[in-house]
Amino acid sequence: MKDLLQATSSNPSWKNLFPPYGCDRNPNHSRFKIVPGYSVQADGSVCFTVMTQTCTGSATCCKVKTANKLEINVNPTCNRAILTATVNGRRTLAPTFDEYGTADQHALYKITGLNITSANADGSQICINFNPAGACKSIESLCPEGDGSCTLAIVQTDPCNCCPVNPVGLFPPPPSPSPPSPPPPSPAPPPSPPPPDAPARRQPPPPSGSTPFPFCRCNRTKDIMPFRLADQAPTVKKIGPNNAYCFKLLTGPCAEPGSFCCQQDLRKIEFWASDNCRSSVRQTYLDSVPVSFSWSTSKQGTTFKLPNLAIKSSDVPAQGREVCIELVASSKCPTLQTFCHYHPRAPGCVYSVFSNDAKQACCPSTSFPSV
């Protein structure tokens, strides 16, 4: 396959875009997507998860059943940062580094030889291994966002003009600058150390002065616990004039089997919500039985909580359990799209599940489509 960069480099309208090709970047115009949350392994390598999805809006790209290349938008100072890459443990071709832009002010990494198809994509893991001697040894330093998030594109084959762009990362809240506060009369005490029994693997640290959702100190690594919501849009049920949005609570393999977090029960689920939606929730349900809910607001954002669940892995059957949020039709937030906080790096609804230990040390965070 001829490289699209060569095919389009003469057209300045594309040269500053990622990826720098004349291709369809719409993430909905693809059978493939990258799950927003990623995992960080004990050796520092980073793994992205591929899933299939319903392709809409493009007769051309929706026919494509093969993805052979992943591209990552990176800092131009990160040449030789990625040593190797794997797909489900199998080595890919050697990652390549290319500069792009009208003045070569941007850069990307290409990982080719994926051989991912619509038949084998679901759950496939693409992992990148950093060069310990390189200048960029983590996602924070590799990607220009600098906050643990990154922009990826799946370049599909047959034809080569489909390159859906997928944001991944930690979903930090958007900045909201405010005048500096007067210095406190005495220094604040240092933060408490992580619990001794918490797993060693952590999500990449948040940007200075900001704690990513769920806005507390805990292990946010995706799938570090066995609990998660189905990675699909919820079903909608009518309760009188209101819509109830229902998700499947599932269990599955942990990212680190045998770890502290993998052994924990589920205490609660938190959603990143819009603050003006407090009066929009009429009721929440677990398997059609009403359960309590609560809200919490900090300077960083608002969370909607389903507390006190106390669910064991053995309490969740193979088909899952149903969690529903009933939204008042006449309220400010009658739909899930208006209820969930919107962040451009995590379109949909961002949520965390929390462990039932005393310190709630585990809070794997990711998102699901709101529609």
Side-chain angles (χ1 to χ4, degrees):
M1 180 181 71
K2 187 175 181 180
D3 195 296
L4 289 173
L5 184 58
Q6 296 174 350
T8 64
S9 60
S10 60
N11 190 330
S13 66
W14 297 327
K15 291 188 73 173
N16 289 313
L17 298 177
F18 173 79
Y21 317 135
C23 56
D24 188 342
R25 296 170 178 79
N26 191 320
N28 296 319
H29 297 176
S30 174
R31 290 172 178 257
F32 307 97
K33 67 175 179 178
I34 304 293
V35 174
Y38 58 81
S39 61
V40 182
Q41 309 304 309
D43 62 359
S45 59
V46 173
C47 295
F48 309 105
T49 303
V50 183
M51 297 294 290
T52 55
Q53 64 177 4
T54 301
C55 183
T56 59
S58 173
T60 300
C61 293
C62 288
K63 294 178 181 178
V64 181
K65 298 181 180 180
T66 305
N68 201 45
K69 179 166 60 172
L70 179 74
E71 301 202 356
I72 307 173
N73 193 41
V74 302
N75 285 311
T77 57
C78 290
N79 193 7
R80 300 184 179 87
I82 300 177
L83 279 181
T84 59
T86 61
V87 178
N88 298 327
R90 172 185 58 82
R91 286 277 287 268
T92 67
L93 299 177
T96 57
F97 177 89
D98 282 317
E99 295 177 333
Y100 71 93
T102 52
D104 287 337
Q105 73 273 31
H106 306 298
L108 58 83
Y109 262 99
K110 301 175 186 177
I111 299 171
T112 57
L114 302 182
N115 296 325
I116 290 176
T117 70
S118 56
N120 65 16
D122 283 334
S124 289
Q125 293 270 303
I126 304 173
C127 299
I128 57 174
N129 304 296
F130 290 101
N131 181 358
C136 309
K137 302 181 182 69
S138 66
I139 284 287
E140 290 92 340
S141 56
L142 180 72
C143 298
E145 289 86 347
D147 59 5
S149 60
C150 210
T151 305
L152 282 58
I154 308 172
V155 180
Q156 301 172 187
T157 52
D158 304 320
C160 302
N161 58 355
C162 305
C163 58
V165 173
N166 291 249
V168 299
L170 303 180
F171 325 126
S176 53
S178 58
S181 302
S186 59
S192 301
D197 54 355
R201 189 178 79 181
R202 308 293 292 181
Q203 278 276 24
S208 177
S210 171
T211 302
F213 178 84
F215 317 129
C216 57
R217 288 172 56 87
C218 54
N219 189 340
R220 296 179 297 276
T221 302
K222 179 179 177 290
D223 293 343
I224 196 69
M225 288 176 61
F227 303 93
R228 74 264 343 229
L229 298 180
D231 184 30
Q232 60 190 37
T235 58
V236 183
K237 297 182 178 181
K238 278 291 185 182
I239 302 179
N242 303 332
N243 283 337
Y245 293 87
C246 299
F247 332 96
K248 283 294 183 183
L249 174 66
L250 304 172
T251 57
C254 294
E256 286 187 358
S259 67
F260 170 83
C261 290
C262 191
Q263 311 304 316
Q264 296 303 304
D265 298 336
L266 174 66
R267 172 176 291 193
K268 62 181 177 179
I269 305 173
E270 294 193 1
F271 299 84
W272 192 357
S274 299
D275 188 59
N276 61 353
C277 297
R278 285 175 172 264
S279 61
S280 298
V281 180
R282 179 183 175 275
Q283 186 59 66
T284 53
Y285 306 87
L286 177 62
D287 297 332
S288 301
V289 177
V291 293
S292 63
F293 62 88
S294 63
W295 293 82
S296 176
T297 300
S298 68
K299 292 181 179 179
Q300 294 169 302
T302 297
T303 56
F304 176 74
K305 307 178 182 183
L306 301 181
N308 307 318
L309 296 178
I311 295 175
K312 300 178 181 294
S313 296
S314 58
D315 296 334
V316 182
Q319 68 271 24
R321 300 186 65 174
E322 187 180 63
V323 178
C324 298
I325 301 175
E326 181 185 350
L327 298 178
V328 178
S330 59
S331 68
K332 291 182 179 179
C333 307
T335 66
L336 202 60
Q337 296 97 305
T338 52
F339 176 79
C340 293
H341 174 88
Y342 173 76
H343 195 284
R345 293 176 190 155
C349 292
V350 180
Y351 75 94
S352 294
V353 295
F354 279 79
S355 56
N356 203 26
D357 61 295
K359 296 182 179 180
Q360 299 178 54
C362 315
C363 62
S365 306
T366 185
S367 67
F368 59 83
S370 59
V371 291

